[in-house]
Each structure stands twice: as C-alpha cells, then as structure tokens.
Amino acid sequence: MAAEQMADRGEEPDRTPPTAAASAAPAGPEPVQVPPARPLDAIDRDILRILQTDGRASIRSVAERVHVSRANAYARINRLVEDGVIRGFGARVDHERAGQGASAYITLKIVQNSWRTVREQLQALPGATHIALVSGDFDVLLLVHTPDNRALRELVLTRIQSIPEVLSTRTLLVFEETDLGPRPDRPAELA
C-alpha cells in the first residue's frame, strides 16, 4: 500500500536497508554485540531527525532533504543501523485507540544481581513497552499498556509479583500521555 502511495506521488519505493530488519530485534536472550559507534556528523544527525519524525521516509526523500546522493544516504543509514545507532524502525501507536486503554508505570525493587533474569521475564509480559534499570528508591521502571484496569491488576498481582526476584512493586496510573518525538521547534536534538 505504501509503495502504491509513493508511486502516486512520483517517488520510487526505496526499501529499508537489508540489515535494518535483522538488527531491529536481537535474537535470543543475549544482547547482540555491536561495535563502537563511529562519530556522527551533521548529515548523520539530520538523517536521524528525519527518520525519527517519519520512519517511512524513502531513501530518495531522505537523500534530497540532506542534499546527498541516494547511494550516500543508503550507505549512511545502513552504517547507522550496523553501528546500533538506529535500533529499528517502528510506528508510534496511540495505545488507547489501539484498545490498550489502561497505562501504568510500575516501579520494582528486585533482588540484587537479578537484573538479567528479571528483564527476561518482564520482556515476556503482554503490554510491556519499556523497561529500564534505574538508580534511586527502586531498581526497575516498567511501562505497560493493557486493555483495562482489570487486565492491569492481573498483570501486576499475578504475573509481576509472582516473579521470585521481585521484592516489591508500586503502580503509577497514567491519566494522559504525550509523545515528545522530534519536532522542528527543538533543533538542538542530536546535536
């Protein structure tokens, strides 16, 4: 469908670099070892801004907007993927409109040195969208989206609190959220 829309606009439907799909989600529990990222120049940062704003942008349109050839844009995007700077391509979802009307941040205190085990179990939870190991009064911050409060309660009381390494949880309901993706009025990003 997107290729047809691009053709209607006179654009050739360029494809995402072949390595992007492979690096979008590492296989297995072990994180993929990525070489150190090479320094980014102004063109790389412009490409990142464009792709953060519109992950569906064709290589042709990216090349035109940053004033390089299509081959150069393709090579740069491919390098950004290989270096792990771009971790994948995806859609920003309105969770409520997608049937996930209850959202919450859940803080967890966990047994010392159990992060990897807990992370694996949290990644398998339905509706888990962000997991962070943090410092402070708790150890882990988890963002979840569920169809309703009943499903949220079940997730917290049955699934999360049954993980042996989880010592305690605190649930913070999200009443409203705003995605602060890249915007033209914030030019300092990625600088």
Side-chain angles (χ1 to χ4, degrees):
M1 176 76 168
E4 293 171 42
Q5 291 171 341
M6 291 172 67
D8 291 342
R9 294 190 308 255
E11 292 183 7
E12 180 182 324
D14 292 313
R15 302 292 176 229
T16 303
T19 56
S23 67
E30 284 298 313
V32 174
Q33 294 296 331
V34 214
R38 291 166 267 199
L40 302 182
D41 63 15
I43 293 172
D44 293 327
R45 288 190 293 276
D46 287 345
I47 289 171
L48 290 174
R49 280 189 197 96
I50 291 167
L51 292 176
Q52 283 181 302
T53 304
D54 180 8
R56 295 174 55 176
S58 69
I59 290 176
R60 173 187 276 182
S61 77
V62 170
E64 288 171 357
R65 290 167 66 185
V66 298
H67 309 291
V68 297
S69 70
R70 286 174 51 192
N72 188 334
Y74 182 88
R76 284 173 177 269
I77 292 170
N78 204 28
R79 179 179 49 90
L80 291 166
V81 170
E82 288 172 0
D83 284 355
V85 175
I86 295 176
R87 298 184 300 177
F89 298 84
R92 290 189 305 233
V93 176
D94 181 323
H95 294 283
E96 189 170 0
R97 292 182 61 92
Q100 302 290 304
S103 299
Y105 285 96
I106 303 168
T107 66
L108 295 85
K109 288 187 182 180
I110 62 174
V111 172
Q112 189 173 7
N113 297 322
S114 66
W115 164 241
R116 287 179 182 84
T117 304
V118 171
R119 179 182 57 201
E120 280 182 30
Q121 295 177 68
L122 295 177
Q123 287 173 328
L125 293 175
T129 59
H130 185 83
I131 304 167
L133 179 65
V134 297
S135 64
D137 294 337
F138 48 88
D139 304 305
V140 178
L141 182 62
L142 171 68
L143 175 60
V144 298
H145 302 282
T146 61
D148 52 34
N149 284 340
R150 179 181 301 267
L152 177 60
R153 182 186 71 212
E154 193 66 25
L155 183 73
V156 173
L157 297 179
T158 304
R159 301 285 301 270
I160 296 173
Q161 290 184 355
S162 70
I163 298 172
E165 298 83 3
V166 173
L167 302 173
S168 67
T169 64
R170 177 171 285 162
T171 303
L172 308 166
L173 291 177
V174 174
F175 296 127
E176 184 178 319
E177 57 188 323
T178 302
D179 185 10
L180 298 178
R183 299 184 326 229
D185 62 336
R186 290 196 280 178
E189 288 186 35
L190 297 171

